[in-house]
């Protein structure tokens, strides 16, 4: 719902602390294309591949600077456009 409403940037700001759980659920449910997009978005804002727990904690505290980087935002916008094309559901499924 967050991605549908305001893109991946909004998703990470409002619900990002659940991104790894959501990714696992998408893969388990066979939402392959949506999972790939979410994984790409995670990799964009976690370029140093810090641990899942540390990354989630940074998201919870809104300490992920990459979200506010114009270059990253532009790349997230491209992923938004791809997300809107797919029929395998949204991140809320």
């Amino acid at each position: 719902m967050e991605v549908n409403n305001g893109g991946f940037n909004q998703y990470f700001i409002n619900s990002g602390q659940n991104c790894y759980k959501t990714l696992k659920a998408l893969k388990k449910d066979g939402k392959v294309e949506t999972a790939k997009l979410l994984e790409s978005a995670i990799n964009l804002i976690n370029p140093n591949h810090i641990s899942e727990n540390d990354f989630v904690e940074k998201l919870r505290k809104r300490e992920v600077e990459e979200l506010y980087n114009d270059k990253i935002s532009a790349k997230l916008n491209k992923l938004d456009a791809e997300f809107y094309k797919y029929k395998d559901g949204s991140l809320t499924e």
Side-chain angles (χ1 to χ4, degrees):
M1 185 171 77
E2 294 287 356
V3 178
N4 283 325
N5 197 29
F8 280 104
N9 203 315
Q10 180 173 313
Y11 170 76
F12 285 112
I13 290 169
N14 293 334
S15 304
Q17 67 274 11
N18 299 314
C19 65
Y20 285 101
K21 289 180 186 177
T22 301
L23 181 60
K24 289 173 189 169
L26 287 167
K27 288 179 178 181
K28 181 181 175 187
D29 291 344
K31 308 290 186 184
V32 178
E33 295 300 329
T34 305
K36 284 181 188 178
L37 291 170
L38 177 58
E39 191 165 35
S40 294
I42 291 170
N43 289 332
L44 278 174
I45 65 167
N46 186 11
N48 297 323
H49 303 286
I50 62 175
S51 74
E52 181 178 328
N53 289 339
D54 289 344
F55 182 67
V56 167
E57 186 61 26
K58 283 181 166 283
L59 282 170
R60 191 172 284 122
K61 292 180 179 178
R62 301 198 188 306
E63 293 177 353
V64 179
E65 296 168 13
E66 289 82 359
L67 285 173
Y68 307 102
N69 175 319
D70 289 339
K71 185 176 177 182
I72 299 298
S73 290
K75 290 180 181 180
L76 287 174
N77 289 341
K78 287 181 182 181
L79 289 174
D80 295 343
E82 289 299 311
F83 175 83
Y84 300 138
K85 291 179 188 177
Y86 288 108
K87 303 288 186 198
D88 74 319
S90 67
L91 294 176
T92 59
E93 290 188 344

